[in-house]
Amino acid sequence: MRVRLVVLRDPGKVWRVVRSLRRLVDRYREDLLPSEFWREGTYLPFPRYPNAYLLILWPPGGTDPVALARRVARLLEKRAGVVLDWAAGIRKSGAVWLLVKARAYKEPDLKVVRYGVQADDLRAIRRLV
């Protein structure tokens, strides 16, 4: 599976990406609105630092894109030991756009921490499918 990482710093740009996806899925729902995912107070409003990571996944044929997005998000959470705030959208091309906020919650006390996707994470995602 091919994976591409795009680091998004500007909250306005993240909003444009989220809005372009129209309907999103997350760990609980398959009908999440962009305004429910990307709202003020749920991200770190500092344009110098990453606010979100966009992982573009091109799954092999026959793969359920919603299940794939959830598996990738669980993998990232497990590797970092955090609870992520994420949502995914499926493009007409079949690509899965997984948006992960840089604001995460460290288990077990759910303290707010900064999260970042690492190169090892991308290799693990490629091996997942």
Side-chain angles (χ1 to χ4, degrees):
M1 175 174 64
R2 290 186 318 152
V3 179
R4 180 176 171 217
L5 174 66
V6 179
V7 178
L8 301 170
R9 288 180 171 76
D10 179 22
K13 185 169 187 173
V14 179
W15 171 242
R16 287 189 295 277
V17 170
V18 171
R19 197 177 57 211
S20 76
L21 295 171
R22 305 239 183 240
R23 291 285 180 188
L24 303 167
V25 299
D26 66 2
R27 77 181 79 242
Y28 306 111
R29 298 174 49 191
E30 294 186 17
D31 61 347
L32 187 67
L33 295 173
S35 59
E36 293 174 309
F37 173 67
W38 193 256
R39 61 181 186 267
E40 199 149 342
T42 64
Y43 59 88
L44 303 168
F46 306 115
R48 281 189 40 208
Y49 300 104
N51 268 294
Y53 298 90
L54 172 61
L55 292 158
I56 303 172
L57 314 168
W58 288 275
T63 304
D64 178 15
V66 173
L68 175 66
R70 290 178 173 155
R71 282 182 27 218
V72 169
R74 277 194 307 270
L75 174 73
L76 295 173
E77 288 177 332
K78 183 179 174 185
R79 291 177 56 84
V82 296
V83 176
L84 297 173
D85 190 358
W86 63 273
I90 293 88
R91 293 289 192 188
K92 288 181 183 178
S93 66
V96 177
W97 283 29
L98 178 64
L99 280 150
V100 180
K101 292 180 186 173
R103 179 181 178 166
Y105 304 93
K106 188 74 170 166
E107 294 184 303
D109 59 354
L110 298 180
K111 179 183 172 188
V112 174
V113 295
R114 183 172 290 282
Y115 172 76
V117 177
Q118 306 299 318
D120 289 348
D121 295 331
L122 298 177
R123 284 190 281 278
I125 291 169
R126 286 184 187 106
R127 289 191 306 262
L128 185 64
V129 176

